[in-house]
Amino acid sequence: MNIEMDMVQTIGFAVILLVIGMWLRRRVRFFERFAIPSPVIGGFLFAIINLGLWLTDVAEIEFDTTLQSFFMTMFFTTVGYGASIAILRKAGPLVLRFLVVASVLVILQDVLATALAPLVQIPSALALMTGSVAMTGGHGVSGGIAPLVEANGTAGAETVAYTAATFGLIAGSLMGGPLANRLITKHRLHAVEGGDKVDEGLLAEEPRHLRSGRVLQAFVVILIAMFIGSYVTEALNYLVGQLTEQAAFPGYFGSMIVAIILRYLSDRQQPEKYHELVPPQEVEVVGEVALALFLAMALMSIRLWELVDLALPLIVLLAAQTVLMFVFARFVTSPVMGKSYDSAIITAGHCGFGMGATPNGVANMESVVQKFTPSPVAFFVLPIVGGMFIDFVNITVIMVFLGFVS
C-alpha cells in the first residue's frame, strides 16, 4: 500500500512527531541525560516504525519535503545572524584560540573519514558523512549537507549522516565528563582567582517581553537574507562549476553570508540612537523553531534499511571518530587551552559539541562543575565558538573535501 502525503500533511505529521518527541524527552531519563533533541527522538521513532512497515510490505510512505528545505535554509540563516563579529573581536584571545582548536578538529575528522573510506570499501563522499558533517556538525549540518551529497549520486548519505550524528550525541556526552574529571584529579587542578578574565556581559541579554513587531522584524530580516543569499549561492556555485561539476555549496550558504554581513552592520549601529536592525533574541527563537521542524521532517524521512550493507563500515568509522575525539581532546584541546581547571572544563565541552551539538557540550560542563567549582570562562568560551562560528567554518571545510572526493 502506497501512502502519499502532500506538503501540508507532511509538515503536520512532522509536528505530531515533534510533540511525541517532546513528551518522551520529559519522561525518559536517557533522552534528557544525553540531551537528545525532541525532533530526533520523534523522527527516529517513526523511522524505526517505517522500517517495520517496509520489511513487512505493509505500506510505503512518501512525503512532500518541500518545506524541509525552506526551514533548513531559515535555520542556517539564523546561524549566520548569530555569528557576531563584534562579539568575536571583544571576546579576547581565548575564544579565538578555541576556535582554531575546534577548526583543526573539523579538518582531522574529515581527513580520518576519507582516509578510512578505501579500507572499509565505501565511497569517500559517503564516509565523509561520518566526519565533521555528523560529528562537529550534528544533525543540523547533516540535514544541510547529506541531501546535497545524496542528490549527487551517493546513496544512503542522509541515513548514514543522521545515524552518525545520533551516535555522536551519546558518545560525546559519555566521554566529556569522565575525561575532565580525570584531568582535574590527576593534575590537581583548581579554579584560580585572578586567572583568565572574560567579559560575561557580551553574552548577557536582558529578558524582554515578546512583541509582535520584533518577531515580525526577525522574520523580515531572515527572509531578506534568504532572498539575497539565494542569488549569492547561485553565483558561488557558478564559479565552483567552472572548476568542477561534482561539488556545490548548499542552498543556504549564501544566506548565511548575507546574514553575517547584516549582523555586522546591525552591531555597528548606535542602539541608543537607532532601532536595532537585527533583533538577535527573536531571530534565535525563529531559528530554534525552524531547526525543530526541519529536523523532524528530515529524521522521519530516513530509510534505515539502507544501513544493512553499511553496518560494519559504519561501526569502524564511528569507532575511529570516537578515538580521534578522545585523543584530540586529551592531548590538544586541554594543553592548548592552558592545562588549567578552565581548560579541563572546556575539554569536557569540546567532547560534547565536537561529536554532537553545543547543548551537549554545555551539559557536559555543567555535570563537571556541579562536582567541582564553577568555570565562568568555559561557559563563556564554548557557546561563542560552538553556537556562533564553528558551523560556518565546518561547512566551508566540508565543501573543500567534497570537491576533492566527489
Side-chain angles (χ1 to χ4, degrees), residues 80-121:
Y81 276 124
S84 173
I85 296 175
I87 290 180
L88 181 62
R89 284 178 175 176
K90 296 177 182 178
L94 204 61
V95 170
L96 184 59
R97 192 190 314 168
F98 185 54
L99 177 59
V100 172
V101 169
S103 300
V104 171
L105 176 64
V106 164
I107 297 172
L108 292 179
Q109 286 174 335
D110 290 340
V111 168
L112 178 62
T114 52
L116 289 177
L119 298 178
V120 296
Q121 298 180 339

Tab-separated table of all heavy atoms in Angstrom, residues 80-121:
chain	number	residue	atom	x	y	z
A	80	GLY	N	23.835	32.380	10.740
A	80	GLY	CA	24.634	33.494	10.248
A	80	GLY	C	24.402	34.754	11.057
A	80	GLY	O	25.342	35.482	11.399
A	81	TYR	N	23.151	35.014	11.401
A	81	TYR	CA	22.848	36.189	12.220
A	81	TYR	C	23.437	36.072	13.625
A	81	TYR	O	23.689	37.075	14.292
A	81	TYR	CB	21.330	36.395	12.310
A	81	TYR	CG	20.749	37.157	11.155
A	81	TYR	CD1	19.716	36.611	10.390
A	81	TYR	CD2	21.208	38.427	10.831
A	81	TYR	CE1	19.171	37.311	9.321
A	81	TYR	CE2	20.671	39.132	9.767
A	81	TYR	CZ	19.657	38.576	9.014
A	81	TYR	OH	19.130	39.277	7.955
A	82	GLY	N	23.640	34.850	14.078
A	82	GLY	CA	24.232	34.660	15.405
A	82	GLY	C	25.731	34.856	15.436
A	82	GLY	O	26.326	35.020	16.512
A	83	ALA	N	26.364	34.846	14.264
A	83	ALA	CA	27.820	34.988	14.192
A	83	ALA	C	28.199	36.458	14.248
A	83	ALA	O	28.432	37.104	13.222
A	83	ALA	CB	28.353	34.340	12.915
A	84	SER	N	28.280	36.988	15.445
A	84	SER	CA	28.585	38.407	15.625
A	84	SER	C	30.093	38.643	15.621
A	84	SER	O	30.813	38.213	16.531
A	84	SER	CB	27.991	38.912	16.946
A	84	SER	OG	28.411	40.222	17.212
A	85	ILE	N	30.568	39.330	14.598
A	85	ILE	CA	31.997	39.650	14.507
A	85	ILE	C	32.393	40.586	15.641
A	85	ILE	O	33.499	40.519	16.174
A	85	ILE	CB	32.306	40.276	13.136
A	85	ILE	CG1	32.027	39.259	12.023
A	85	ILE	CG2	33.757	40.746	13.066
A	85	ILE	CD1	32.181	39.807	10.625
A	86	ALA	N	31.471	41.459	16.037
A	86	ALA	CA	31.760	42.396	17.131
A	86	ALA	C	32.032	41.641	18.428
A	86	ALA	O	32.937	41.984	19.190
A	86	ALA	CB	30.580	43.350	17.314
A	87	ILE	N	31.241	40.594	18.695
A	87	ILE	CA	31.463	39.800	19.903
A	87	ILE	C	32.789	39.059	19.820
A	87	ILE	O	33.533	38.968	20.800
A	87	ILE	CB	30.298	38.817	20.114
A	87	ILE	CG1	29.030	39.577	20.502
A	87	ILE	CG2	30.637	37.780	21.179
A	87	ILE	CD1	27.814	38.701	20.724
A	88	LEU	N	33.109	38.517	18.642
A	88	LEU	CA	34.374	37.796	18.477
A	88	LEU	C	35.555	38.726	18.742
A	88	LEU	O	36.536	38.328	19.380
A	88	LEU	CB	34.463	37.212	17.064
A	88	LEU	CG	35.729	36.406	16.754
A	88	LEU	CD1	35.834	35.192	17.668
A	88	LEU	CD2	35.750	35.969	15.296
A	89	ARG	N	35.473	39.963	18.281
A	89	ARG	CA	36.568	40.921	18.492
A	89	ARG	C	36.753	41.232	19.971
A	89	ARG	O	37.875	41.351	20.462
A	89	ARG	CB	36.286	42.209	17.728
A	89	ARG	CG	36.526	42.112	16.219
A	89	ARG	CD	36.165	43.431	15.570
A	89	ARG	NE	36.486	43.442	14.142
A	89	ARG	CZ	36.186	44.452	13.328
A	89	ARG	NH1	35.545	45.526	13.806
A	89	ARG	NH2	36.503	44.395	12.048
A	90	LYS	N	35.646	41.363	20.688
A	90	LYS	CA	35.708	41.751	22.084
A	90	LYS	C	35.963	40.556	23.009
A	90	LYS	O	36.322	40.745	24.170
A	90	LYS	CB	34.406	42.435	22.494
A	90	LYS	CG	34.137	43.744	21.769
A	90	LYS	CD	32.789	44.312	22.188
A	90	LYS	CE	32.464	45.600	21.437
A	90	LYS	NZ	31.126	46.126	21.806
A	91	ALA	N	35.761	39.354	22.501
A	91	ALA	CA	35.805	38.175	23.364
A	91	ALA	C	37.209	37.860	23.862
A	91	ALA	O	37.374	37.216	24.895
A	91	ALA	CB	35.228	36.970	22.629
A	92	GLY	N	38.218	38.274	23.124
A	92	GLY	CA	39.576	38.041	23.581
A	92	GLY	C	40.251	36.854	22.930
A	92	GLY	O	39.631	36.074	22.204
A	93	PRO	N	41.551	36.680	23.192
A	93	PRO	CA	42.341	35.640	22.526
A	93	PRO	C	41.924	34.222	22.884
A	93	PRO	O	42.137	33.298	22.106
A	93	PRO	CB	43.772	35.930	23.008
A	93	PRO	CG	43.606	36.684	24.290
A	93	PRO	CD	42.358	37.494	24.119
A	94	LEU	N	41.341	34.013	24.061
A	94	LEU	CA	40.966	32.665	24.474
A	94	LEU	C	39.904	32.083	23.548
A	94	LEU	O	39.958	30.908	23.176
A	94	LEU	CB	40.458	32.685	25.917
A	94	LEU	CG	40.564	31.361	26.704
A	94	LEU	CD1	42.012	30.917	26.813
A	94	LEU	CD2	39.949	31.525	28.082
A	95	VAL	N	38.941	32.905	23.159
A	95	VAL	CA	37.893	32.443	22.249
A	95	VAL	C	38.478	32.139	20.875
A	95	VAL	O	38.168	31.115	20.263
A	95	VAL	CB	36.774	33.499	22.140
A	95	VAL	CG1	35.804	33.137	21.023
A	95	VAL	CG2	36.029	33.623	23.455
A	96	LEU	N	39.336	33.020	20.378
A	96	LEU	CA	39.960	32.807	19.080
A	96	LEU	C	40.811	31.541	19.092
A	96	LEU	O	40.820	30.768	18.129
A	96	LEU	CB	40.813	34.021	18.706
A	96	LEU	CG	41.459	33.989	17.316
A	96	LEU	CD1	40.385	33.868	16.237
A	96	LEU	CD2	42.295	35.234	17.085
A	97	ARG	N	41.516	31.316	20.198
A	97	ARG	CA	42.348	30.111	20.317
A	97	ARG	C	41.484	28.852	20.243
A	97	ARG	O	41.812	27.883	19.566
A	97	ARG	CB	43.119	30.144	21.627
A	97	ARG	CG	44.223	29.094	21.712
A	97	ARG	CD	44.797	28.996	23.111
A	97	ARG	NE	45.078	30.303	23.695
A	97	ARG	CZ	45.360	30.477	24.977
A	97	ARG	NH1	45.382	29.453	25.807
A	97	ARG	NH2	45.609	31.694	25.437
A	98	PHE	N	40.348	28.876	20.951
A	98	PHE	CA	39.485	27.693	20.940
A	98	PHE	C	38.839	27.501	19.573
A	98	PHE	O	38.619	26.368	19.130
A	98	PHE	CB	38.413	27.804	22.022
A	98	PHE	CG	37.565	26.570	22.144
A	98	PHE	CD1	38.131	25.318	22.325
A	98	PHE	CD2	36.173	26.660	22.071
A	98	PHE	CE1	37.351	24.177	22.435
A	98	PHE	CE2	35.392	25.528	22.180
A	98	PHE	CZ	35.979	24.285	22.360
A	99	LEU	N	38.543	28.601	18.877
A	99	LEU	CA	38.003	28.488	17.527
A	99	LEU	C	38.999	27.809	16.607
A	99	LEU	O	38.627	26.964	15.778
A	99	LEU	CB	37.636	29.877	16.991
A	99	LEU	CG	37.114	29.935	15.552
A	99	LEU	CD1	35.867	29.076	15.391
A	99	LEU	CD2	36.815	31.387	15.150
A	100	VAL	N	40.278	28.143	16.755
A	100	VAL	CA	41.318	27.497	15.952
A	100	VAL	C	41.405	26.007	16.297
A	100	VAL	O	41.479	25.140	15.411
A	100	VAL	CB	42.684	28.174	16.175
A	100	VAL	CG1	43.799	27.374	15.496
A	100	VAL	CG2	42.662	29.608	15.653
A	101	VAL	N	41.370	25.683	17.588
A	101	VAL	CA	41.418	24.284	18.026
A	101	VAL	C	40.245	23.508	17.444
A	101	VAL	O	40.413	22.407	16.892
A	101	VAL	CB	41.406	24.204	19.571
A	101	VAL	CG1	41.172	22.769	20.036
A	101	VAL	CG2	42.717	24.728	20.138
A	102	ALA	N	39.038	24.070	17.562
A	102	ALA	CA	37.844	23.387	17.050
A	102	ALA	C	37.903	23.231	15.535
A	102	ALA	O	37.447	22.216	14.984
A	102	ALA	CB	36.595	24.161	17.457
A	103	SER	N	38.487	24.206	14.850
A	103	SER	CA	38.602	24.146	13.391
A	103	SER	C	39.579	23.060	12.964
A	103	SER	O	39.358	22.366	11.962
A	103	SER	CB	39.044	25.504	12.836
A	103	SER	OG	38.121	26.518	13.172
A	104	VAL	N	40.668	22.902	13.711
A	104	VAL	CA	41.629	21.835	13.412
A	104	VAL	C	40.960	20.474	13.569
A	104	VAL	O	41.164	19.556	12.755
A	104	VAL	CB	42.861	21.939	14.330
A	104	VAL	CG1	43.755	20.709	14.179
A	104	VAL	CG2	43.651	23.203	14.009
A	105	LEU	N	40.144	20.318	14.605
A	105	LEU	CA	39.427	19.049	14.786
A	105	LEU	C	38.508	18.773	13.601
A	105	LEU	O	38.412	17.625	13.135
A	105	LEU	CB	38.615	19.073	16.079
A	105	LEU	CG	37.736	17.827	16.321
A	105	LEU	CD1	38.610	16.582	16.484
A	105	LEU	CD2	36.847	18.018	17.538
A	106	VAL	N	37.830	19.795	13.109
A	106	VAL	CA	36.960	19.638	11.943
A	106	VAL	C	37.736	19.041	10.772
A	106	VAL	O	37.292	18.087	10.120
A	106	VAL	CB	36.344	21.001	11.547
A	106	VAL	CG1	35.765	20.949	10.135
A	106	VAL	CG2	35.261	21.404	12.539
A	107	ILE	N	38.903	19.592	10.510
A	107	ILE	CA	39.732	19.103	9.393
A	107	ILE	C	40.159	17.665	9.632
A	107	ILE	O	40.083	16.815	8.726
A	107	ILE	CB	40.965	20.014	9.208
A	107	ILE	CG1	40.518	21.431	8.816
A	107	ILE	CG2	41.908	19.441	8.159
A	107	ILE	CD1	41.648	22.447	8.810
A	108	LEU	N	40.595	17.351	10.851
A	108	LEU	CA	41.050	15.998	11.150
A	108	LEU	C	39.914	14.979	11.047
A	108	LEU	O	40.127	13.839	10.611
A	108	LEU	CB	41.672	15.949	12.550
A	108	LEU	CG	42.992	16.700	12.721
A	108	LEU	CD1	43.488	16.588	14.166
A	108	LEU	CD2	44.053	16.165	11.757
A	109	GLN	N	38.721	15.374	11.455
A	109	GLN	CA	37.583	14.461	11.342
A	109	GLN	C	37.320	14.085	9.892
A	109	GLN	O	37.030	12.924	9.581
A	109	GLN	CB	36.333	15.098	11.967
A	109	GLN	CG	36.359	15.125	13.488
A	109	GLN	CD	35.196	15.885	14.091
A	109	GLN	OE1	34.618	16.763	13.448
A	109	GLN	NE2	34.844	15.574	15.329
A	110	ASP	N	37.457	15.041	8.998
A	110	ASP	CA	37.229	14.767	7.581
A	110	ASP	C	38.400	14.014	6.957
A	110	ASP	O	38.210	13.157	6.081
A	110	ASP	CB	36.971	16.074	6.830
A	110	ASP	CG	35.620	16.679	7.193
A	110	ASP	OD1	34.762	15.940	7.695
A	110	ASP	OD2	35.433	17.894	6.997
A	111	VAL	N	39.608	14.321	7.408
A	111	VAL	CA	40.775	13.577	6.925
A	111	VAL	C	40.648	12.110	7.321
A	111	VAL	O	40.882	11.200	6.503
A	111	VAL	CB	42.082	14.169	7.496
A	111	VAL	CG1	43.258	13.229	7.244
A	111	VAL	CG2	42.360	15.539	6.878
A	112	LEU	N	40.278	11.855	8.552
A	112	LEU	CA	40.136	10.478	9.039
A	112	LEU	C	39.060	9.734	8.263
A	112	LEU	O	39.263	8.582	7.846
A	112	LEU	CB	39.796	10.492	10.534
A	112	LEU	CG	39.577	9.119	11.192
A	112	LEU	CD1	40.847	8.288	11.120
A	112	LEU	CD2	39.129	9.296	12.640
A	113	ALA	N	37.913	10.364	8.062
A	113	ALA	CA	36.811	9.702	7.362
A	113	ALA	C	37.189	9.331	5.932
A	113	ALA	O	36.955	8.194	5.486
A	113	ALA	CB	35.578	10.604	7.366
A	114	THR	N	37.793	10.263	5.215
A	114	THR	CA	38.149	9.983	3.825
A	114	THR	C	39.323	9.010	3.727
A	114	THR	O	39.405	8.236	2.775
A	114	THR	CB	38.493	11.291	3.091
A	114	THR	OG1	39.480	12.025	3.844
A	114	THR	CG2	37.263	12.159	2.938
A	115	ALA	N	40.226	9.036	4.706
A	115	ALA	CA	41.363	8.104	4.691
A	115	ALA	C	40.907	6.672	4.919
A	115	ALA	O	41.495	5.720	4.369
A	115	ALA	CB	42.382	8.508	5.754
A	116	LEU	N	39.867	6.487	5.728
A	116	LEU	CA	39.377	5.143	6.032
A	116	LEU	C	38.427	4.597	4.966
A	116	LEU	O	38.139	3.397	4.954
A	116	LEU	CB	38.670	5.128	7.392
A	116	LEU	CG	39.555	5.279	8.633
A	116	LEU	CD1	38.698	5.315	9.891
A	116	LEU	CD2	40.568	4.143	8.713
A	117	ALA	N	37.919	5.466	4.112
A	117	ALA	CA	36.939	5.040	3.105
A	117	ALA	C	37.414	3.862	2.257
A	117	ALA	O	36.671	2.884	2.089
A	117	ALA	CB	36.549	6.227	2.223
A	118	PRO	N	38.647	3.889	1.708
A	118	PRO	CA	39.087	2.724	0.919
A	118	PRO	C	39.212	1.450	1.752
A	118	PRO	O	38.972	0.346	1.239
A	118	PRO	CB	40.463	3.168	0.389
A	118	PRO	CG	40.465	4.650	0.493
A	118	PRO	CD	39.650	4.971	1.699
A	119	LEU	N	39.555	1.587	3.031
A	119	LEU	CA	39.731	0.412	3.874
A	119	LEU	C	38.402	-0.281	4.167
A	119	LEU	O	38.339	-1.513	4.254
A	119	LEU	CB	40.413	0.799	5.186
A	119	LEU	CG	41.823	1.386	5.069
A	119	LEU	CD1	42.372	1.762	6.444
A	119	LEU	CD2	42.761	0.379	4.384
A	120	VAL	N	37.344	0.509	4.340
A	120	VAL	CA	36.024	-0.084	4.613
A	120	VAL	C	35.221	-0.246	3.331
A	120	VAL	O	34.068	-0.682	3.363
A	120	VAL	CB	35.240	0.770	5.627
A	120	VAL	CG1	35.947	0.792	6.964
A	120	VAL	CG2	35.031	2.189	5.119
A	121	GLN	N	35.837	0.124	2.204
A	121	GLN	CA	35.280	-0.122	0.875
A	121	GLN	C	33.919	0.560	0.657
A	121	GLN	O	32.955	-0.072	0.233
A	121	GLN	CB	35.166	-1.632	0.613
A	121	GLN	CG	36.511	-2.333	0.633
A	121	GLN	CD	36.404	-3.825	0.364
A	121	GLN	OE1	35.353	-4.426	0.534
A	121	GLN	NE2	37.505	-4.437	-0.058
